[in-house]
Amino acid sequence: MRRISLPLPALLAALAAMPAHAVEPKPAPERIESAAPRAEGPPIPQALRPAEPGTAFVGPPLPASVAPTAAAGNGLPTLRPAPVPVKLSQDPRPAFTADTYLATLRAAEAYRGIAEAGGWPVLPAGPAMKAGDRGPGVAALKARLAASDDLPLAALPGDVFDSRIVEAVQRFQSRHGLPESGLVAARTLAALNVPADIRARQLAGSARRIAESKFPFGERYVVVNIPSATVEAVERGEVARRYVAVVGKRERASPTIEARIQNVNFNPTWTLPVSIVKKDIVPRQRKDPGHLAKMHIRILDGYNREIDPATLDWSTDAPLRYTFRQDPGTSNSLGQVRIDMPNKLAVYMHDTPSKGLFARDDRFHSSGCVRVADVRAFTEWLLQGTPNPDAPGGPTPWTAGDIDAAIAAGVRRDVRLTRHVPVAWVYLTGYATADGTVHFRDDVYGLDRPDAAPLPQPSPDDLVTSSIKKPTL
C-alpha cells in the first residue's frame, strides 16, 4: 500500500542542500507536454499531427478518419487527420468510490504534516530534464519526488536521471493527470512546485465537497470529475472505460450533481434556450436571413406549427415568443446522442458535432453540460443489459452495429435503460484512492481558495451545449 510519509533524515539532508534562492517558474501556456519527449525543432501544428487510432481513451479503437481543409494549389481539397482526443490515463482506479472520503481526509492530514515539517522547496527554472541528465538539478528533483513518496528513499543518492527517476516522474505525472512522458517540462515542473500546504487544502476541500454524498455506489456507475474533464464508466469497482470530456467554463460551470442515467436519445432535437435565441440567433438572422435554414432550425408556435422566418419582424422581440428547435442531424448541437439523466438543473451529457476541443488539454468550454468523446462506445456500455426490440430475430442486447443503425436512420429514437445507471458529477481537485495513492488536478473554478465564493448554479435557460455555427472538427 502506498502512503505519504513525513521526510526522514536522509530526505531532510537532501532538501537542505538545495539553494535557498530558487525561483518558482511560470507555468507554460495551457499545453501540457506530449506523451513522449519532443524532438528538437518547432512544434507540429495539431491539425498536421498523425492520428493515433485507439490511443485516445480506454475502450474500442477510433477509426482513422480525415477531414477536408482549404483547397490545394491544384484546386483539390487537401486532407488532414481528424483531431484525436488527448490520451488519458489507463489507471483502473475510479476517482470517486465509497472509500474516497475517508482516504482523502487521511491524505489531507498527511500533507499537512509534510507542510508543517517544512514542505518541499521550489525547483529552479531551467531546461527540461530527461533521462541521461545529471547534476544538482537532478539531485533536487530526486529529493522533491521522494518528499511525495514518488521515489523510494533508497534511490536518493546520486545526481543521474536514470530509469528509476523516469518511473518516479511518470508516477507523479499519472497522479496529476499529466501525460506520462517521464520528461520534466514546464507543466510537470509547475505541478512539482505547488506547495504542500496548498495540496493539503485541495484534499480537505475535496473531502468537504463529498462529505454529505449519498451516492448509491453499485456494480455499475458513472463518474464525471469536472477538474479532470473526464468521464469514467465504472464496473465492479474498476474503470471499465474512461472518456475525454468537455465540461463547463468558469462563468458557466458544470455543477456537482448526483442522478441516474435513464434514457439514451438517438438523433435528438435541440430546443434552444431563450437566452441563445436572443443573444445569438436573432442577431445572426438579421444579418443573414438564411441562417436558420443553414443550421436546420425551425420556428414553432404554441400549437407546434412551423412558422416561416420571413413572416417575423426580426428588428423586434417578436421572434422570442416562439420555440426554436434544431432538427436531428450532423449539425445538431447535441450531436447524434444525448444521455438523459433527469435532475433539477436540467444538465446532461451528449455528443457534439465539433470534435476539436477533445484534442485539447484545456477542455473547460461548455456552458454546464458535459460533451463526451466517443459517445457511441459510451452508449454501448450504458445499454448493456437493455434489449433492442428491433434486432433481427427478436430482442437481443444492443450492439455497436445496432447503435450505428439507429443513428444512421436519422430520426429521433429514445431508448429507456432496463436498469438505470447512477451518475455523479464531482469536483475533486485532490483525492486519494483506497490504497493511499493521492491524485491532484488544477482548481479550474477556484473553489479551493480560502475566499472562494460559491459558483452560481446554472439556469436551464442559460445552458448552451455548442456554438450555433457550422460544426468544425
Side-chain angles (χ1 to χ4, degrees):
M1 179 178 294
R2 288 174 43 74
R3 61 185 179 84
I4 298 297
S5 56
L6 295 179
L8 298 177
L11 176 58
L12 291 173
L15 294 175
M18 290 190 61
H21 59 277
V23 178
E24 181 174 358
K26 295 181 179 179
E30 288 299 315
R31 186 73 214 172
I32 58 181
E33 57 263 38
S34 62
R38 292 179 179 173
E40 294 298 323
I44 301 174
Q46 180 69 40
L48 300 180
R49 295 178 188 168
E52 298 181 67
T55 63
F57 46 83
V58 178
L62 280 174
S65 57
V66 295
T69 60
N74 58 8
L76 298 175
T78 58
L79 296 178
R80 61 173 173 80
V84 176
V86 295
K87 185 176 181 179
L88 295 180
S89 169
Q90 304 282 324
D91 191 339
R93 294 167 295 190
F96 187 44
T97 72
D99 299 315
T100 301
Y101 175 68
L102 287 178
T104 302
L105 277 182
R106 294 190 187 102
E109 182 179 358
Y111 271 81
R112 277 194 295 269
I114 294 175
E116 291 169 359
W120 45 72
V122 175
L123 298 177
M129 287 186 282
K130 60 187 182 304
D133 288 350
R134 66 185 311 153
V138 175
L141 171 65
K142 293 171 71 174
R144 167 61 186 87
L145 291 169
S148 54
D149 206 27
D150 291 293
L151 180 71
L153 291 175
L156 268 175
D159 63 355
V160 178
F161 201 126
D162 57 22
S163 60
R164 293 176 301 177
I165 312 306
V166 172
E167 292 175 1
V169 170
Q170 289 174 329
R171 185 176 301 113
F172 177 90
Q173 291 169 329
S174 174
R175 296 194 302 107
H176 291 74
L178 299 168
E180 298 165 33
S181 64
L183 177 75
V184 181
R187 283 290 299 273
T188 297
L189 185 63
L192 286 162
N193 281 335
V194 174
D197 62 334
I198 292 181
R199 292 306 194 194
R201 192 165 69 207
Q202 287 183 271
L203 291 163
S206 294
R208 183 173 61 253
R209 286 187 285 270
I210 60 174
E212 303 301 321
S213 172
K214 294 180 174 59
F215 187 69
F217 297 102
E219 183 173 320
R220 301 175 86 241
Y221 64 92
V222 172
V223 176
V224 176
N225 188 20
I226 297 166
S228 299
T230 59
V231 175
E232 295 177 347
V234 182
E235 195 163 3
R236 292 187 290 275
E238 292 190 347
V239 177
R241 305 182 183 188
R242 184 176 281 115
Y243 302 93
V244 177
V246 172
V247 300
K249 63 188 82 171
R250 175 170 172 76
E251 58 269 29
R252 291 186 176 183
S254 293
T256 55
I257 57 170
E258 295 178 359
R260 289 179 180 271
I261 297 173
Q262 299 184 10
N263 298 278
V264 171
N265 314 132
F266 294 115
N267 300 307
T269 58
W270 182 41
T271 301
L272 281 65
V274 175
S275 61
I276 297 307
V277 174
K278 183 176 183 179
K279 297 175 184 177
D280 195 335
I281 296 299
V282 170
R284 289 177 184 273
Q285 187 68 13
R286 287 172 183 167
K287 295 179 181 179
D288 177 11
H291 177 67
L292 290 177
K294 292 175 183 175
M295 298 309 301
H296 307 285
I297 296 173
R298 302 176 187 272
I299 305 176
L300 306 173
D301 67 10
Y303 297 96
N304 212 36
R305 297 176 299 197
E306 188 169 353
I307 304 297
D308 184 351
T311 64
L312 300 180
D313 184 355
W314 293 91
S315 65
T316 69
D317 287 338
L320 301 182
R321 299 199 300 263
Y322 298 93
T323 297
F324 287 67
R325 184 168 297 155
Q326 191 175 33
D327 291 341
T330 56
S331 63
N332 187 283
S333 292
L334 303 186
Q336 296 173 311
V337 180
R338 176 183 183 271
I339 309 298
D340 182 27
M341 39 180 283
N343 59 88
K344 64 181 181 180
L345 296 177
V347 291
Y348 46 89
M349 306 164 74
H350 64 93
D351 182 25
T352 175
S354 301
K355 312 294 187 185
L357 291 176
F358 293 133
R360 294 178 56 168
D361 304 311
D362 171 20
R363 299 190 302 281
F364 306 94
H365 297 277
S366 85
S367 294
C369 290
V370 173
R371 309 173 199 172
V372 186
D374 195 30
V375 73
R376 295 188 187 197
F378 181 43
T379 300
E380 183 183 5
W381 184 85
L382 289 172
L383 289 177
Q384 289 177 13
T386 296
N388 176 13
D390 296 335
T396 56
W398 279 84
T399 66
D402 293 338
I403 292 170
D404 288 341
I407 292 172
V411 296
R412 171 151 181 172
R413 180 177 180 182
D414 298 337
V415 178
R416 186 170 183 82
L417 274 62
T418 299
R419 295 184 63 183
H420 297 170
V421 178
V423 56
W425 293 11
V426 294
Y427 192 86
L428 301 177
T429 55
Y431 64 92
T433 50
D435 64 356
T437 302
V438 186
H439 299 258
F440 295 101
R441 299 296 186 269
D442 290 342
D443 182 18
V444 291
Y445 295 164
L447 300 187
D448 292 327
R449 296 197 307 263
D451 59 346
L455 290 171
Q457 294 295 308
S459 164
D461 187 51
D462 290 330
L463 290 175
V464 188
T465 59
S466 295
S467 176
I468 308 300
K469 303 176 183 177
K470 288 186 177 181
T472 59
L473 290 174

Coordinates of all heavy atoms in Angstrom, one line a residue, residues 105-150:
L105 N -9.4 12.4 3.4 CA -9.2 13.0 4.7 C -7.8 12.6 5.2 O -7.1 13.4 5.8 CB -10.3 12.6 5.7 CG -11.6 13.4 5.6 CD1 -12.5 12.9 6.8 CD2 -11.3 14.9 5.8
R106 N -7.5 11.3 5.2 CA -6.2 10.9 5.7 C -5.1 11.5 4.9 O -4.0 11.9 5.4 CB -6.1 9.3 5.6 CG -7.1 8.6 6.5 CD -6.8 7.1 6.5 NE -7.8 6.4 7.3 CZ -8.8 5.7 6.7 NH1 -8.9 5.6 5.4 NH2 -9.7 5.0 7.5
A107 N -5.2 11.6 3.6 CA -4.2 12.2 2.7 C -4.0 13.7 3.1 O -2.9 14.2 3.1 CB -4.6 12.0 1.3
A108 N -5.1 14.4 3.4 CA -5.0 15.8 3.7 C -4.2 15.9 5.0 O -3.4 16.8 5.1 CB -6.4 16.4 3.9
E109 N -4.4 15.0 6.0 CA -3.7 15.1 7.2 C -2.2 14.8 7.0 O -1.3 15.5 7.5 CB -4.2 14.1 8.2 CG -3.6 14.1 9.6 CD -4.1 13.0 10.5 OE1 -5.1 12.4 10.1 OE2 -3.6 12.9 11.7
A110 N -1.9 13.9 6.1 CA -0.5 13.6 5.8 C 0.2 14.8 5.1 O 1.3 15.1 5.4 CB -0.4 12.3 4.9
Y111 N -0.5 15.4 4.2 CA 0.1 16.5 3.5 C 0.3 17.7 4.4 O 1.2 18.5 4.3 CB -0.7 16.9 2.3 CG -0.3 16.2 1.0 CD1 -0.6 14.9 0.8 CD2 0.6 16.8 0.1 CE1 -0.2 14.2 -0.3 CE2 1.1 16.1 -1.0 CZ 0.6 14.8 -1.2 OH 1.1 14.1 -2.3
R112 N -0.7 17.9 5.4 CA -0.5 19.0 6.4 C 0.8 18.7 7.2 O 1.5 19.6 7.6 CB -1.7 19.0 7.3 CG -2.8 19.9 6.7 CD -3.9 20.2 7.8 NE -4.6 19.0 8.3 CZ -5.7 18.5 7.8 NH1 -6.2 19.1 6.8 NH2 -6.2 17.4 8.3
G113 N 1.0 17.4 7.5 CA 2.2 17.1 8.2 C 3.5 17.4 7.5 O 4.5 17.9 8.0
I114 N 3.5 17.1 6.1 CA 4.6 17.5 5.3 C 4.8 19.0 5.3 O 5.9 19.5 5.4 CB 4.4 17.0 3.9 CG1 4.4 15.4 3.8 CG2 5.5 17.5 2.9 CD1 4.0 14.9 2.5
A115 N 3.7 19.8 5.2 CA 3.8 21.2 5.2 C 4.4 21.7 6.5 O 5.3 22.6 6.5 CB 2.5 21.8 4.9
E116 N 3.9 21.2 7.6 CA 4.4 21.6 8.9 C 5.9 21.3 9.2 O 6.5 21.9 10.0 CB 3.5 21.0 10.0 CG 2.1 21.6 10.0 CD 1.1 20.8 10.9 OE1 1.6 19.8 11.5 OE2 0.0 21.2 11.0
A117 N 6.3 20.2 8.5 CA 7.7 19.8 8.6 C 8.7 20.6 7.7 O 9.8 20.3 7.6 CB 7.9 18.3 8.3
G118 N 8.1 21.6 7.0 CA 8.9 22.4 6.1 C 8.6 22.3 4.6 O 9.1 23.0 3.8
G119 N 7.7 21.3 4.3 CA 7.3 21.1 2.9 C 8.5 20.8 2.0 O 9.5 20.1 2.4
W120 N 8.4 21.1 0.8 CA 9.4 21.0 -0.2 C 9.7 22.3 -0.9 O 8.9 23.1 -1.1 CB 9.0 19.9 -1.3 CG 7.7 20.1 -1.8 CD1 7.2 21.0 -2.7 CD2 6.5 19.2 -1.6 NE1 5.9 20.9 -3.0 CE2 5.5 19.7 -2.3 CE3 6.3 18.1 -0.8 CZ2 4.2 19.1 -2.3 CZ3 5.1 17.5 -0.8 CH2 4.0 18.0 -1.6
P121 N 11.0 22.5 -1.1 CA 11.4 23.8 -1.7 C 11.0 23.8 -3.2 O 10.7 22.8 -3.8 CB 12.9 23.9 -1.5 CG 13.3 22.5 -1.4 CD 12.2 21.7 -0.8
V122 N 11.1 25.0 -3.8 CA 10.8 25.1 -5.2 C 11.9 24.7 -6.1 O 13.1 25.1 -5.9 CB 10.4 26.6 -5.5 CG1 10.2 26.8 -7.0 CG2 9.2 27.0 -4.7
L123 N 11.7 23.9 -7.1 CA 12.7 23.5 -8.1 C 13.0 24.7 -9.0 O 12.0 25.4 -9.5 CB 12.3 22.3 -8.9 CG 12.0 21.0 -8.1 CD1 11.6 19.9 -9.0 CD2 13.3 20.6 -7.4
P124 N 14.2 25.0 -9.3 CA 14.6 26.1 -10.1 C 14.1 25.9 -11.6 O 14.1 24.8 -12.1 CB 16.1 26.3 -10.0 CG 16.5 24.9 -9.7 CD 15.5 24.3 -8.9
A125 N 13.9 27.1 -12.3 CA 13.5 27.0 -13.7 C 14.8 26.6 -14.5 O 15.9 26.8 -14.0 CB 13.0 28.4 -14.1
G126 N 14.6 26.1 -15.6 CA 15.7 25.7 -16.5 C 15.2 24.8 -17.6 O 14.0 24.6 -17.8
P127 N 16.1 24.3 -18.4 CA 15.7 23.4 -19.5 C 15.0 22.1 -18.9 O 15.2 21.7 -17.8 CB 17.1 23.0 -20.1 CG 18.0 24.1 -19.7 CD 17.6 24.5 -18.3
A128 N 14.2 21.5 -19.8 CA 13.5 20.3 -19.4 C 14.5 19.2 -19.0 O 15.6 19.1 -19.6 CB 12.7 19.8 -20.6
M129 N 14.2 18.5 -18.0 CA 15.1 17.4 -17.5 C 14.6 16.1 -18.1 O 13.4 15.8 -18.1 CB 15.2 17.4 -16.0 CG 16.0 18.5 -15.4 SD 16.2 18.4 -13.6 CE 14.6 18.9 -13.1
K130 N 15.5 15.2 -18.5 CA 15.1 14.0 -19.1 C 16.2 12.9 -18.8 O 17.2 13.2 -18.2 CB 15.1 14.1 -20.6 CG 16.4 14.6 -21.3 CD 16.2 14.9 -22.7 CE 17.5 15.3 -23.4 NZ 18.2 16.4 -22.7
A131 N 15.9 11.7 -19.2 CA 16.7 10.6 -18.9 C 18.1 10.8 -19.5 O 18.3 11.3 -20.6 CB 16.2 9.3 -19.5
G132 N 19.1 10.5 -18.6 CA 20.5 10.7 -19.0 C 21.1 12.0 -18.5 O 22.4 12.1 -18.4
D133 N 20.3 13.0 -18.1 CA 20.8 14.2 -17.5 C 21.4 13.9 -16.1 O 21.1 12.9 -15.5 CB 19.7 15.2 -17.3 CG 19.2 15.8 -18.7 OD1 19.9 15.6 -19.7 OD2 18.2 16.5 -18.7
R134 N 22.3 14.8 -15.7 CA 22.9 14.7 -14.4 C 23.2 16.1 -13.8 O 23.3 17.1 -14.6 CB 24.1 13.8 -14.4 CG 25.3 14.3 -15.1 CD 26.4 13.3 -15.2 NE 26.7 12.8 -13.8 CZ 27.2 11.6 -13.6 NH1 27.5 10.7 -14.6 NH2 27.4 11.2 -12.3
G135 N 23.4 16.2 -12.5 CA 23.8 17.5 -11.9 C 22.9 17.8 -10.7 O 22.0 17.1 -10.3
P136 N 23.1 19.0 -10.2 CA 22.4 19.5 -9.0 C 20.9 19.5 -9.2 O 20.1 19.2 -8.3 CB 23.0 20.8 -8.7 CG 24.3 20.9 -9.4 CD 24.2 20.0 -10.6
G137 N 20.5 19.9 -10.4 CA 19.0 19.9 -10.7 C 18.4 18.6 -10.6 O 17.3 18.5 -10.0
V138 N 19.1 17.5 -11.0 CA 18.5 16.2 -10.9 C 18.5 15.7 -9.4 O 17.5 15.1 -9.0 CB 19.4 15.2 -11.7 CG1 18.9 13.8 -11.5 CG2 19.3 15.6 -13.2
A139 N 19.5 16.1 -8.7 CA 19.5 15.7 -7.3 C 18.4 16.4 -6.5 O 17.7 15.8 -5.7 CB 20.9 16.1 -6.6
A140 N 18.1 17.7 -6.9 CA 17.0 18.4 -6.3 C 15.6 17.8 -6.7 O 14.7 17.6 -5.9 CB 17.0 19.9 -6.7
L141 N 15.5 17.3 -7.9 CA 14.3 16.7 -8.4 C 14.1 15.4 -7.6 O 13.0 15.1 -7.2 CB 14.4 16.4 -9.9 CG 13.4 15.5 -10.5 CD1 12.0 16.2 -10.4 CD2 13.7 15.1 -12.0
K142 N 15.1 14.6 -7.4 CA 15.0 13.4 -6.7 C 14.5 13.6 -5.3 O 13.6 12.9 -4.8 CB 16.4 12.6 -6.7 CG 16.8 12.1 -8.0 CD 18.2 11.6 -8.0 CE 18.3 10.3 -7.3 NZ 19.7 9.7 -7.4
A143 N 15.0 14.6 -4.6 CA 14.6 14.9 -3.3 C 13.1 15.3 -3.2 O 12.3 14.9 -2.4 CB 15.4 16.1 -2.7
R144 N 12.7 16.1 -4.3 CA 11.3 16.5 -4.3 C 10.4 15.3 -4.6 O 9.3 15.2 -4.0 CB 11.1 17.5 -5.5 CG 9.7 17.8 -5.9 CD 8.9 18.4 -4.7 NE 7.5 18.6 -5.1 CZ 6.6 17.6 -4.9 NH1 6.9 16.4 -4.5 NH2 5.3 17.8 -5.3
L145 N 10.8 14.4 -5.4 CA 10.0 13.2 -5.7 C 9.9 12.3 -4.5 O 8.8 11.7 -4.2 CB 10.5 12.5 -6.9 CG 10.4 13.2 -8.3 CD1 11.2 12.4 -9.3 CD2 8.9 13.2 -8.7
A146 N 10.9 12.2 -3.7 CA 10.9 11.4 -2.5 C 10.0 12.0 -1.5 O 9.4 11.3 -0.7 CB 12.3 11.3 -2.0
A147 N 9.9 13.4 -1.4 CA 9.1 14.0 -0.4 C 7.6 13.7 -0.6 O 6.8 13.6 0.4 CB 9.2 15.5 -0.5
S148 N 7.2 13.4 -1.8 CA 5.8 13.0 -2.0 C 5.6 11.5 -2.3 O 4.6 11.0 -2.8 CB 5.2 13.8 -3.2 OG 6.0 13.6 -4.4
D149 N 6.7 10.7 -1.9 CA 6.6 9.3 -1.9 C 6.5 8.7 -3.4 O 6.1 7.6 -3.6 CB 5.5 8.7 -1.1 CG 5.7 7.3 -0.6 OD1 6.9 7.0 -0.4 OD2 4.8 6.6 -0.4
D150 N 7.0 9.5 -4.4 CA 7.0 9.0 -5.7 C 8.3 8.3 -6.0 O 8.4 7.5 -7.0 CB 6.9 10.2 -6.7 CG 5.5 10.7 -6.7 OD1 4.5 10.0 -7.1 OD2 5.3 11.9 -6.3

